[in-house]
Amino acid sequence: MSEPDFPIGVIVVAFQSADVILGCVESLLEQEGGRPAVIVVDNASTDDTVSTLRGWAATKGVDLREFGGEERPARAEAGAVTLVHSGANRGFAGGVNVGLAVAAAMSGIDHFWVLNPDAFADKGACRAILSAAKETPDYALMGGRVCFAEPPHRVQIDGGLVNLWTGVSGNVNLGRAAAEAVLPRGADLDFITGASMVASRSFYEAVGPMREDYFLYYEEADWALRRGDMPLVVAPGLVVYHHAGTAIGSPTLERLASPFSFWFKYHSRMLFVRRFNPIGLPVAMAYATAKAGQLVLRGALPQAGALLRAVWGLGPPKSVRERLSPEARRIAFGRAGS
């Protein structure tokens, strides 16, 4: 027997996520405030992500519904898990947009929660989302606290800030002890992190999906800056724990980002500045070039090279191109990167 409808749908974009996906999905099905509909969008993983989900569902007696192409489930059932095959590695925004389209086609979902596959949610997260939405029903995007999974007592991000001249983004409360860090107000933020971000249906219908030309990074900042007068909200109690960078090599408190991460971050940064403050592009390019110099002094030559190629429009280095399939390269880089 299916459970009554629940107004939260969770979109999890998976890519090479076999080692983390079950922790994410199980944390959503164990929510104390009601079980959301879970939509896993697989971006053409070549590891065991799909078989891991299938095996888990069979063992646990979970009805795993699978869709591909333009198929869409018509109804969101609380606690149901839907696996959508995107057909290609479409990048973060592309995968999220597939999931958003599925969630939007389901009746009864008013809140679209985008959650990274390498994150798991505190049991009170759904209750916190509904409580914050009740207080601010006209919100655009909602966030909460994202802590590092290792160590779990340190904040990764409580919301984001971005400088429109340099393009540099910052994580509020990064590295601070979770017990001591004070949550910011939504009004003091520029964007909500894509690692855990809730979009209202009214925002999605007014603004539309994410822009997919970023492929990775800055898509959530772009989305937030297009919200108009709709507010950002920070929900106390919406807490997730993030393993951080398991698929693409994003930085942690102890680890420098990979060349793959550097190329996409700086390519997207230049695109973002060009779009929202074009006169600041020379400033952003100069600032980024100085950053490359710092990396050279640290001996991080592959990272510095990837950064410079992104900033000066030279295309991705071979090591970055080769990490993606031919179809993913076409989506991410166009003809220049194929």
Side-chain angles (χ1 to χ4, degrees):
M1 181 180 296
S2 64
E3 299 179 34
D5 289 345
F6 189 68
I8 299 175
V10 187
I11 297 151
V12 180
V13 179
F15 179 71
Q16 314 295 61
S17 305
D19 58 337
V20 292
I21 190 63
L22 296 187
C24 177
V25 172
E26 288 181 343
S27 75
L28 297 170
L29 299 184
E30 294 170 356
Q31 287 295 299
E32 296 173 346
R35 301 204 304 170
V38 180
I39 302 163
V40 178
V41 179
D42 182 66
N43 258 354
S45 296
T46 57
D47 69 350
D48 295 329
T49 298
V50 171
S51 61
T52 296
L53 272 171
R54 288 171 176 162
W56 165 82
T59 301
K60 297 290 186 178
V62 174
D63 181 16
L64 180 68
R65 300 176 295 174
E66 296 192 42
F67 297 87
E70 298 301 316
E71 297 175 289
R72 298 286 185 269
R75 181 172 175 268
E77 294 181 6
V81 180
T82 300
L83 174 60
V84 182
H85 300 275
S86 73
N89 182 358
R90 302 179 181 279
F92 178 70
V96 168
N97 286 345
V98 170
L100 287 169
V102 171
M106 293 176 168
S107 62
I109 294 184
D110 298 319
H111 313 285
F112 306 142
W113 181 11
V114 178
L115 182 65
N116 271 19
D118 57 351
F120 55 95
D122 184 86
K123 290 186 177 182
C126 281
R127 184 170 53 236
I129 290 170
L130 295 180
S131 177
K134 187 175 181 180
E135 289 189 12
T136 313
D138 61 341
Y139 79 96
L141 296 165
M142 180 191 303
R145 169 158 289 172
V146 179
C147 290
F148 287 104
E150 307 92 5
H153 55 277
R154 293 287 174 183
V155 174
Q156 182 185 16
I157 184 170
D158 282 343
L161 303 173
V162 63
N163 185 310
L164 294 181
W165 288 93
T166 63
V168 174
S169 59
N171 293 11
V172 174
N173 288 331
L174 174 64
R176 292 186 179 177
E180 301 172 2
V182 178
L183 278 173
R185 302 181 308 149
D188 296 329
L189 300 176
D190 294 324
F191 66 93
I192 304 296
T193 177
S196 176
M197 169 180 59
V198 186
S200 67
R201 179 178 284 271
S202 57
F203 167 78
Y204 176 66
E205 291 177 347
V207 175
M210 286 184 162
R211 286 176 168 141
E212 297 183 14
D213 51 358
Y214 292 99
F215 196 78
L216 292 171
Y217 297 114
Y218 282 87
E219 56 280 283
E220 72 265 63
D222 180 297
W223 216 24
L225 265 61
R226 292 188 281 137
R227 72 186 184 276
D229 294 331
M230 301 177 74
L232 301 180
V233 169
V234 176
L238 171 51
V239 180
V240 306
Y241 300 89
H242 188 206
H243 291 288
T246 58
I248 60 177
S250 296
T252 67
L253 292 176
E254 297 83 20
R255 182 185 68 211
L256 188 64
S258 67
F260 186 90
S261 174
F262 264 101
W263 192 88
F264 277 105
K265 176 173 285 188
Y266 280 85
H267 175 267
S268 293
R269 181 178 292 180
M270 297 305 111
L271 178 60
F272 177 83
V273 172
R274 187 180 295 113
R275 182 165 276 153
F276 288 98
N277 185 30
I279 64 172
L281 188 60
V283 177
M285 294 176 72
Y287 189 93
T289 301
K291 174 66 176 180
Q294 293 178 348
L295 291 170
V296 169
L297 293 176
R298 294 177 60 180
L301 299 183
Q303 286 87 342
L307 185 162
L308 289 171
R309 292 185 68 88
V311 170
W312 293 97
L314 300 178
K318 183 179 179 181
S319 63
V320 172
R321 293 198 308 272
E322 290 181 343
R323 286 195 57 181
L324 297 176
S325 68
E327 176 65 10
R329 289 200 295 267
R330 184 190 65 78
I331 293 171
F333 312 128
R335 293 180 180 177
S338 60

